């Protein structure tokens, strides 16, 4: 037994399903990537899934595929309903099998979440997150939809898939039949619970009848709806038993409908924050159970399995971050794992903006054919200046390609602004990105020179110079800005200055919101699963349907005002899929927003503003400036003056609209071009 196998005995153990064996307990969970609908999508998916299969994952589940047109998530989403589509899917399955992997296709009928006018549901009730009102399926429509699931699974088998996952959770069609809140039917598909689960059970039965015994059927079961009038715990147990009887091979865990107002996968959810849900179901059925949500590193995955929470773990986003997650775990290279930080910035946010998914910490994800890693034929001497996210990714990638890299950093530590960001409640995972880069620099023998502010003299001997000197906070010219009661966000977050009990924050961008969260929670971060659940009103005892309880509003640590000059809604620039969490969190803590203001002056009474043509005082003890950033120009000016050519990336290139996705992406792109 290898050292890693001893350290992760549960995770690396095989799972015997009777007719087939999975090589370990790791499932790559279903994720829509946007490749599905692209012109060359199947070839790109083959490379994407192929790399994950080669990376050692036990079982892959594809993104959702609709069984018919009404089931589309959006117009022209991927559908498998006719034999003419089989050939394309074979490109994917053959590649995965060639890498020694196994792959199931997820069948997803979006129901009332379908973003198109043909969407259907058990009843004609609009979802709060969709502008299209669904059509209610007729009785005949229900039976033909079940048949479409059967047909889709038969075609999946013909396409070479090892099985299917039937999506029964997250508030999609099957879930809509199960919950009384969305199913008001009076026929045999509505009314009491037995009737409402008949749709789900009949689908599994008909898929099993069609596919035979040697085909994996994973059923994704909503074990915690997190919506009013969702299922009770007894009903969930009853459903699980019926699904087992109907012929499912494995039950996977679904947490929360998409319309739920509880964070379920974002970075502030503690690691494995919902595995207790799956644990409740252990022993109630005899088929294996999979747990999921915010499991991102081997130790937490092993712990979940060792504690008997499940038989297998599902991770989706961690395989965008690192295709080799399993192989690195199995060969004792856990410190080389590029960890998913749960930010959603390049995966889900991209999908919701109709872009191809990728990953903030791994820009090659879903772009495997466009951004392949290629070793260099000519090794150059490369200087990278600045060890923030941009410089780190550039130095690590260039060195991995075979260049001889020196990385200059003015401060005593690598990380740039990530050193500040990691202190924000819920952003502790940024630490993993720094650990990853540090290890990459060691592995590829980058010469790291800390506390070394690079000048022209240091750089003149290099073949290539990359300037990644980042950003500095914008200085404002408001009378009183130099006062004792004024601080920058970095002075507050790094602890150099302390804020009083009443604070005005100038700037309502990402950093303004983060600083407010820091000032509200500080060390009171939800570091335990129970405190997170209590805060968001999740009741582990399921006293109410859907697992919702009372939300607890702690008395806020401070009175906070956030101001901006624009008239627009504060926080519009926050992440598409996570911004609502931050806005809700600040609202719950009584933070007051002021828009359309003009800053007049600061004195010992606070911040004087002009708002709505009225001069007024925001009476506070401390004013914190979060008014964006500007590029650090010094070095570039010097190089320009000497006529030395250089590349410039990250915040040094453009401070506006800068984020770590751009910084890391720029770093990889330039390193690939050297
Ligand atoms: P920087 O991080 O600014 O790094 C530049 C580095 O260059 C610094 O280490 C500096 O010391 C060094 N340097 C400068 N001049 C020299 C020189 N002459 N010689 C040597 N070294 C030099 N982004 C996100 O995408 N998502 C988030 O959730 C997020 N949250 C954030 C929260 C906070 C509180 C903050 C402050 C930032 C957050 N960001 C977030 C922004 C993100 O951190 C930045 O976009 C990113 O760090 C920019 O990377 P960079 O490498 O271009 O610059
Ligand atoms: P930002 O999002 O651009 O916000 C800057 C804020 O400062 C705005 O509210 C702006 O509002 C105000 N401002 C700009 N110029 C000003 C001036 N001269 N005087 C007074 N106010 C001024 O920048 P940021 O908050 O510094 O964030 C930097 C980057 O980090 C962002 O682009 C973001 O992507 C990233 N980040 C992301 C997250 C995340 O959760 N995804 C979190 C933190 C940071 P007005 O102009 O209306 O006054
Ligand atoms: Fe994880 Fe963020 Fe990458 Fe998405 S973008 S996979 S959440 S690290």
């Amino acid at each position: 037994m290898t050292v890693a196998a001893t350290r992760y005995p549960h995770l690396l153990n095989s799972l015997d399903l009777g007719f087939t064996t999975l090589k370990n307990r790791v499932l790559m969970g279903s994720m829509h990537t946007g490749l599905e609908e692209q012109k060359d999508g199947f070839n790109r998916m083959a490379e994407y899934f192929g790399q994950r299969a080669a990376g050692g994952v036990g079982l892959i589940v594809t993104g959702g595929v609709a069984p018919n047109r009404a089931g589309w998530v959006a117009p022209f989403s991927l559908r498998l309903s006719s034999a003419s589509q089989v050939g394309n899917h074979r490109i994917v399955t053959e590649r995965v099998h060639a890498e020694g992997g196994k792959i199931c296709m997820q069948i997803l009928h979006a129901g009332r979440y379908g973003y198109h006018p043909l969407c259907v549901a058990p009843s004609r009730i609009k979802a709060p997150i969709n502008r299209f009102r669904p059509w209610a399926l007729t009785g005949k429509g229900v039976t033909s939809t079940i048949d479409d699931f059967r047909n889709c699974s038969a075609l999946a088998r013909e396409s070479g898939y090892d099985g299917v996952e039937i999506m029964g959770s997250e508030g999609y069609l099957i879930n809509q039949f199960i919950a009384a809140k969305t199913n008001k039917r009076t026929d045999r598909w509505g009314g009491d619970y037995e009737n409402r689960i008949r749709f789900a059970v009949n689908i599994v039965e008909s898929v099993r009848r069609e596919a035979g015994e040697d085909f994996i059927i994973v059923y994704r079961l909503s074990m915690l709806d997190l919506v009013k009038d969702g299922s009770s715990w007894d009903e969930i147990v009853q459903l699980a038993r019926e699904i087992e009887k109907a012929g499912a091979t494995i039950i996977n865990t679904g947490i929360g409908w998409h319309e739920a107002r509880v964070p379920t996968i974002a970075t502030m959810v503690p690691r494995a924050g919902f595995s207790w849900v799956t644990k409740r179901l252990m022993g109630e059925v005899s088929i294996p159970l999979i747990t999921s949500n915010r499991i991102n590193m081997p130790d937490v995955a092993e712990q979940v399995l060792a504690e008997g929470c499940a038989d297998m773990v599902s991770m989706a986003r961690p395989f965008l971050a690192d295709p080799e997650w399993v192989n690195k775990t199995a060969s004792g290279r856990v410190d080389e794992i590029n960890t998913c930080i749960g930010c959603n910035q390049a995966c889900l946010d991209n999908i919701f903006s109709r872009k191809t998914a990728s990953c903030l910490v791994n820009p090659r994800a879903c772009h495997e054919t466009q951004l392949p890693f290629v070793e260099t034929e000519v090794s150059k001497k490369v200087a990278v200046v600045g060890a923030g996210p941009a410089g780190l990714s550039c130095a690590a990638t260039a060195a991995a390609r075979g260049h001889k890299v020196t990385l200059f950093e003015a401060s005593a530590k690598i990380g740039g602004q990530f050193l500040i960001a990691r202190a924000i409640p819920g952003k502790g995972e940024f630490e993993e990105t720094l650990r990853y880069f540090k290890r990459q620099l060691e592995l590829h023998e980058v010469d790291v020179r800390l506390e070394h502010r690079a000048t022209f003299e240091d750089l003149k001997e290099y073949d290539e110079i990359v300037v990644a000197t980042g950003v500095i906070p914008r200085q404002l010219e408001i009378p009183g800005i130099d006062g004792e009661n004024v601080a920058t966000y970095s002075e507050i977050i790094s602890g150099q200055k302390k804020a009083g009990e009443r604070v005005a924050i100038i700037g309502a961008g990402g950093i303004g919101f983060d600083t407010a969260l820091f000032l509200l929670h500080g060390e009171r971060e939800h570091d335990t699963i129970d405190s997170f659940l209590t805060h968001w009103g999740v009741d582990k005892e399921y006293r109410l349907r859907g697992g919702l309880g009372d939300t607890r509003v702690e008395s806020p640590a401070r009175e906070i005002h956030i101001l901006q000059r624009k008239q627009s809604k504060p926080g519009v620039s926050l992440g598409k899929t996570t911004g609502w969490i931050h806005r809700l969190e600040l609202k719950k803590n009584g933070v007051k927003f002021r828009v359309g203001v003009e800053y007049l002056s600061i004195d010992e009474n606070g911040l004087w503003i002009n708002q709505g043509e009225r001069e007024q005082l925001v009476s506070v003890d401390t004013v914190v400036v979060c008014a964006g950033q500007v590029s650090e120009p010094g070095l570039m000016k010097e190089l320009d003056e000497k006529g030395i050519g250089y590349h410039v990336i990250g915040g040094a290139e453009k401070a506006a609209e800068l984020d770590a996705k751009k910084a890391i992406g720029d770093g990889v792109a330039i390193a690939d071009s050297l």
Side-chain angles (χ1 to χ4, degrees), residues 554-608:
E554 299 95 351
S555 52
R558 288 185 168 88
E559 175 191 316
I560 295 186
H561 304 256
I562 301 187
L563 302 93
Q564 71 175 30
R565 296 170 307 170
K566 289 186 284 290
Q567 286 288 358
S568 56
K569 193 171 146 199
V572 279
S573 64
L574 299 177
K576 253 197 173 327
T577 61
T578 50
W580 66 270
I581 305 172
H582 301 293
R583 286 189 288 268
L584 186 59
E585 180 68 3
L586 295 196
K587 198 170 147 207
K588 284 204 295 186
N589 280 284
V591 172
K592 297 180 184 69
F593 289 95
R594 289 167 181 256
V595 300
V597 306
E598 182 193 351
Y599 305 110
L600 299 175
S601 63
I602 300 168
D603 64 20
E604 67 281 8
N605 299 311
L607 174 63
W608 288 92

Side-chain angles (χ1 to χ4, degrees), residues 398-643:
R401 292 190 58 226
H403 293 299
K404 200 156 173 29
V405 180
T406 306
L407 176 61
F408 294 95
E409 169 52 49
S411 73
K413 284 183 180 166
I414 63 162
Q417 299 229 351
F418 263 30
L419 292 170
I420 309 174
R422 67 181 174 176
I424 302 297
K427 288 196 175 173
E429 293 282 3
F430 282 47
E431 194 72 59
E432 295 285 5
T433 307
L434 297 181
R435 182 265 308 147
Y436 166 76
F437 278 127
K438 184 164 181 285
R439 183 69 186 125
Q440 292 301 307
L441 299 180
E442 285 164 8
L443 275 176
H444 302 297
E445 297 177 357
V446 173
D447 177 6
V448 182
R449 308 219 184 136
L450 296 176
E451 298 187 84
H452 192 131
R453 182 167 285 278
T455 62
F456 159 75
E457 287 302 323
D458 296 305
L459 304 173
K460 57 188 184 193
E461 303 299 329
Y462 289 87
D463 302 322
E464 304 275 0
I465 300 168
V466 182
V467 175
T469 47
V471 287
I472 46 174
R474 174 179 280 121
Q475 301 282 326
L476 298 187
E477 288 179 13
I478 303 173
I481 196 83
D482 297 326
E484 275 295 300
N485 56 346
V486 184
T488 63
Y489 62 83
S490 84
E491 286 169 331
I492 291 291
I493 299 169
S494 63
Q496 282 172 48
K497 281 194 178 174
K498 288 263 172 263
E501 296 209 334
R502 299 167 310 144
V503 179
I505 295 178
I506 295 183
I511 292 180
F513 270 67
D514 273 359
T515 305
L517 271 180
F518 178 84
L519 289 171
L520 286 168
H521 295 307
E523 293 77 48
R524 269 204 302 147
E525 137 105 287
H526 304 296
D527 46 3
T528 69
I529 292 172
D530 281 345
S531 74
F532 166 81
L533 296 172
T534 310
H535 182 76
W536 286 96
V538 180
D539 178 19
K540 274 174 115 173
E541 301 306 319
Y542 285 79
R543 277 170 285 236
L544 294 176
R545 293 180 158 276
L548 285 180
D550 292 333
T551 49
R552 193 181 71 196
V553 183
E554 299 95 351
S555 52
R558 288 185 168 88
E559 175 191 316
I560 295 186
H561 304 256
I562 301 187
L563 302 93
Q564 71 175 30
R565 296 170 307 170
K566 289 186 284 290
Q567 286 288 358
S568 56
K569 193 171 146 199
V572 279
S573 64
L574 299 177
K576 253 197 173 327
T577 61
T578 50
W580 66 270
I581 305 172
H582 301 293
R583 286 189 288 268
L584 186 59
E585 180 68 3
L586 295 196
K587 198 170 147 207
K588 284 204 295 186
N589 280 284
V591 172
K592 297 180 184 69
F593 289 95
R594 289 167 181 256
V595 300
V597 306
E598 182 193 351
Y599 305 110
L600 299 175
S601 63
I602 300 168
D603 64 20
E604 67 281 8
N605 299 311
L607 174 63
W608 288 92
I609 59 167
N610 197 343
Q611 192 184 21
E613 312 266 306
R614 202 165 63 83
E615 218 170 276
Q616 51 194 290
L617 173 72
V618 186
S619 177
V620 290
D621 310 307
T622 312
V623 176
V624 184
V625 181
C626 303
Q629 298 136 336
V630 292
S631 302
E632 160 73 273
L635 179 62
M636 287 184 277
K637 231 171 119 210
E638 198 186 346
L639 292 174
D640 286 340
E641 278 163 13
K642 308 271 184 202

Side-chain angles (χ1 to χ4, degrees), residues 246-324:
T249 321
I250 306 175
I251 292 178
N252 192 1
T253 303
I255 301 288
W257 289 33
H258 285 317
E259 67 206 61
R261 292 292 90 176
V262 176
T264 54
I265 59 167
T267 187
M268 69 287 290
V269 178
R271 287 180 175 184
F274 289 99
S275 292
W276 56 272
V277 181
T278 320
K279 189 174 188 181
R280 276 186 79 123
L281 199 62
M282 289 289 277
E284 301 284 4
V285 289
S286 54
I287 53 177
L289 297 184
I290 305 175
T291 194
S292 82
N293 290 51
R294 282 284 287 127
I295 297 168
N296 62 349
M297 286 298 278
D299 286 333
V300 70
E302 175 65 22
Q303 190 186 347
V304 158
L305 296 176
E307 286 174 359
C309 296
D311 301 289
M312 201 167 174
V313 293
S314 168
M315 292 178 287
R317 297 170 300 168
F319 285 103
L320 288 181
D322 198 331
E324 280 200 272

